[in-house]
Amino acid sequence: MSTIRMSGMISGLDTESLVKELVNAQRLKNKKYTDKLTTSEWKEEKWKDLNTKLYKLYTDDLSKLRLSANYAAKKISVSNENLVSVTGDNTAVNGAYTITDIKTASNHYITSGVVKTSDGTTTAKSINKLSDLVGDLGADEEVTFKLTDADGKETGSLKLKGSTTLEEVAFMMKNDLKVNANYDEKQGRLFISSTNGGISSRFGIEAGTEDKADDVLNALRLNVGGSDDTVNATVTQGSDSSIVVNGVTFTGTSNIITANGLTFNLKGSSTTGEKINFSVSNDVDATYNMVKDFLKNYNAILKEMNTLYYAASAKDYAPLSDDEKAEMSDDQVEKWETKIKDSILRRDSTLGSLIDSMKLAMTSSVEVPAGSGKSLSFANYGIQTSKDYTEKGLLHIAGDKDDAEYASATNKLMAALKDDPDTVITALSGVVKNVYDTVAKKMSSIPNVRSTFTFYNDKLMDSEQTALKKRIAELEDKLTNMEDRYYKQFTAMEKAMASMQSQSSALAGLLGNS
């Protein structure tokens, strides 16, 4: 609750203003602590944003390109993609291949005969109950069906009642037997199929041991064996997919077959004697673009770090107090604070060390092959810094068509990827691993100083902010006490002056009456 003070009545002094000025004088001295806290919080915000971007470079780029296997992109050309498409991972073996005898997989299907009501002439509707099909089946009388696999082993069961409708029968088959099921009342048939393909998807539906179970199965026209498909069920056996590659047969339960780093997507079955050719080779363009994208991401983060580290000084700017903000427009406040924030990591020792370490790792060399005494670096493949010193270490690929400065140069990287990809990939992955290890070390945990996966001293910063907040709270308490003390002093003065005035009036009255 705020205190209402009546002061200056006797002295005529503006006590409120006097106390405010006296307190503000001390508050101005205390502002250095709030400025330190604000600056620290802004610095932490800047570091958090930078930390997120650096960690993304670490996990998305460095983690991938430090492994030589991830460079081996493959290019595959197929003579007839209407029947089969082929993709490959980095383990696929280069060469020419021939495909024959493509057979696509199929699901297992059971299609019932035409379901009739008990009068034997009316095609049943979805709302018809089982008791409508079997006249002497009671509404609460139960029958059981069981699902069996290709070997006759029971894999599921279904419990039905005379009151169960055909629509409900299909729904319960989907839920309890885990098959696709639908009753089409226009056709008067139950359409049941496996959810997967292949020989292993084959199944059968058999009646349980109840007296009326066989009658219900027959009424649903799910009995198998007769030649009349309106009375008996038609079964289409599930079959495996298969493909013959260079004389070797590979099979699967779906139309996707994988073998030796290759994935075959079967789109149709081939005719007898039909041959399809495909080839596997290194995708030089994909590997080149992988390296190019990495350098683009590296340059982006390095450029941002350089901008922060070499920012113009803002030593004449300090965080604004509430009173100062009140005298400025929102735009002026924003520009003022942006000036400070943009320079908040200027010459920051942690940032400077990180920049130097990353740049040094990017220019490191590795021995290829191991033990040969021959060292290779990015520079051997035309990956180099610009002559423009203001770029401060950004990397370019000599001969890259998208780099205006170096487009006319010989593209050593592309040439090497074509002529000797293994050596190039070993060298590039080795250098990237050096960068990866360097970055990992820079964000390793330091007790009471830095958390894991953090590039800045977040724990130390949090401790400093906690101490500042505690100190600011203490100073605010002192200001409150100071304000109360001043008011008490002025109040005492007012009382003294009131007493003197009262005594003077009394004395004057006495003298006047004498």
Side-chain angles (χ1 to χ4, degrees):
M1 180 182 293
S2 60
T3 302
I4 299 176
R5 296 184 173 96
M6 300 294 290
S7 57
M9 299 292 290
I10 304 300
S11 65
L13 297 175
D14 185 354
T15 306
E16 292 282 347
S17 297
L18 287 171
V19 172
K20 182 178 179 180
E21 289 300 321
L22 289 168
V23 171
N24 280 346
Q26 184 59 45
R27 179 172 280 116
L28 189 61
K29 294 179 181 179
N30 296 346
K31 185 175 180 290
K32 63 180 180 181
Y33 294 101
T34 57
D35 287 354
K36 284 182 180 180
L37 177 61
T38 301
T39 303
S40 180
E41 290 173 340
W42 286 349
K43 179 178 286 189
E44 187 175 31
E45 288 176 8
K46 189 69 73 173
W47 262 120
K48 283 182 177 179
D49 179 61
L50 188 59
N51 200 95
T52 299
K53 295 173 182 176
L54 284 164
Y55 187 70
K56 179 175 173 55
L57 180 76
Y58 174 78
T59 55
D60 292 359
D61 295 289
L62 298 177
S63 181
K64 178 182 178 181
L65 294 184
R66 68 191 171 99
L67 303 174
S68 58
N70 290 331
Y71 289 79
K74 298 295 181 178
K75 180 166 59 178
I76 298 177
S77 177
V78 183
S79 62
N80 185 356
E81 290 200 342
N82 291 325
L83 287 182
V84 59
S85 62
V86 185
T87 57
D89 61 24
N90 51 38
T91 65
V93 180
N94 291 349
Y97 299 80
T98 301
I99 297 173
T100 57
D101 301 321
I102 301 174
K103 294 179 182 178
T104 56
S106 65
N107 290 28
H108 188 78
Y109 296 90
I110 296 179
T111 305
S112 75
V114 178
V115 182
K116 303 287 186 179
T117 58
S118 58
D119 62 14
T121 59
T122 305
T123 300
K125 300 293 185 182
S126 297
I127 60 173
N128 280 129
K129 303 172 183 177
L130 294 182
S131 59
D132 296 333
L133 312 183
V134 180
D136 58 349
L137 180 67
D140 293 327
E141 192 171 355
E142 292 185 345
V143 295
T144 303
F145 289 171
K146 61 180 180 179
L147 190 75
T148 59
D149 61 18
D151 297 323
K153 180 182 177 182
E154 183 177 340
T155 57
S157 63
L158 179 66
K159 189 170 289 187
L160 305 170
K161 291 184 177 181
S163 59
T164 305
T165 66
L166 289 172
E167 183 178 37
E168 291 170 338
V169 168
F171 179 79
M172 293 168 71
M173 283 184 171
K174 285 190 286 187
N175 276 0
D176 298 348
L177 301 183
K178 308 306 179 186
V179 294
N180 298 318
N182 178 57
Y183 181 72
D184 186 336
E185 65 177 26
K186 290 184 179 179
Q187 300 297 327
R189 298 177 187 265
L190 273 167
F191 292 88
I192 309 168
S193 65
S194 61
T195 55
N196 299 309
I199 293 174
S200 62
S201 72
R202 295 176 181 176
F203 65 89
I205 298 177
E206 299 178 5
T209 57
E210 299 88 354
D211 291 340
K212 303 289 177 59
D214 281 318
D215 293 340
V216 175
L217 187 71
N218 291 333
L220 290 173
R221 301 294 193 256
L222 290 175
N223 49 313
V224 179
S227 59
D228 186 351
D229 72 355
T230 64
V231 178
N232 301 287
T234 301
V235 178
T236 303
Q237 299 284 358
S239 61
D240 286 342
S241 59
S242 64
I243 186 172
V244 178
V245 182
N246 285 358
V248 180
T249 302
F250 302 100
T251 61
T253 58
S254 73
N255 289 323
I256 305 294
I257 297 176
T258 60
N260 196 31
L262 296 170
T263 299
F264 303 91
N265 182 6
L266 312 186
K267 302 176 182 179
S269 297
S270 60
T271 58
T272 303
E274 184 176 7
K275 293 183 178 181
I276 299 172
N277 299 314
F278 74 94
S279 62
V280 180
S281 60
N282 292 327
D283 192 339
V284 176
D285 289 336
T287 302
Y288 178 87
N289 288 330
M290 193 182 304
V291 176
K292 181 177 176 178
D293 288 342
F294 160 62
L295 293 175
K296 179 181 178 181
N297 294 336
Y298 167 80
N299 282 342
I301 192 68
L302 178 60
K303 185 176 182 180
E304 181 172 353
M305 289 193 295
N306 284 336
T307 299
L308 293 170
Y309 186 76
Y310 294 103
S313 174
K315 64 179 181 180
D316 295 329
Y317 290 75
L320 298 168
S321 65
D322 291 340
D323 290 341
E324 289 170 329
K325 289 180 181 179
E327 296 176 0
M328 301 168 67
S329 67
D330 291 343
D331 184 57
Q332 289 174 323
V333 171
E334 183 179 0
K335 288 181 178 179
W336 184 281
E337 293 185 347
T338 298
K339 176 67 176 177
I340 301 172
K341 291 177 181 179
D342 286 347
S343 67
I344 205 118
L345 293 182
R346 170 182 162 82
R347 306 297 180 181
D348 183 275
S349 59
T350 302
L351 179 58
S353 176
L354 178 60
I355 293 172
D356 291 342
S357 297
M358 288 180 66
K359 287 165 66 174
L360 184 62
M362 287 290 281
T363 57
S364 65
S365 59
V366 292
E367 194 176 43
V368 182
S372 66
K374 180 181 178 181
S375 295
L376 294 173
S377 66
F378 279 179
N380 291 96
Y381 303 106
I383 301 174
Q384 59 198 49
T385 57
S386 171
K387 296 177 182 178
D388 182 1
Y389 73 94
T390 62
E391 285 193 352
K392 295 180 173 59
L394 302 185
L395 293 173
H396 299 258
I397 300 176
D400 185 78
K401 60 183 178 62
D402 296 324
D403 192 322
E405 185 177 355
Y406 289 98
S408 60
T410 300
N411 196 321
K412 294 181 181 180
L413 177 60
M414 180 65 81
L417 286 171
K418 292 177 179 178
D419 297 340
D420 189 7
D422 291 341
T423 298
V424 182
I425 290 171
T426 301
L428 296 182
S429 61
V431 173
V432 174
K433 185 180 184 305
N434 290 341
V435 183
Y436 176 88
D437 292 342
T438 297
V439 171
K441 186 177 180 180
K442 284 293 183 181
M443 61 177 179
S444 60
S445 174
I446 300 177
N448 301 319
V449 176
R450 186 172 67 208
S451 304
T452 306
F453 303 128
T454 306
F455 293 91
Y456 63 102
N457 300 333
D458 61 319
K459 290 185 177 181
L460 190 61
M461 195 173 288
D462 288 343
S463 296
E464 290 173 348
Q465 290 176 12
T466 299
L468 284 169
K469 289 175 182 177
K470 182 179 179 181
R471 180 59 178 155
I472 291 169
E474 292 172 349
L475 292 173
E476 284 297 323
D477 287 341
K478 287 184 178 181
L479 284 177
T480 300
N481 292 335
M482 179 187 291
E483 185 178 50
D484 290 341
R485 187 174 73 252
Y486 282 139
Y487 272 114
K488 287 179 181 178
Q489 290 173 344
F490 276 111
T491 300
M493 181 189 73
E494 292 286 335
K495 288 181 178 179
M497 292 182 70
S499 177
M500 289 177 62
Q501 189 178 61
S502 176
Q503 291 176 7
S504 296
S505 297
L507 181 60
L510 290 172
L511 293 174
N513 293 329
S514 60

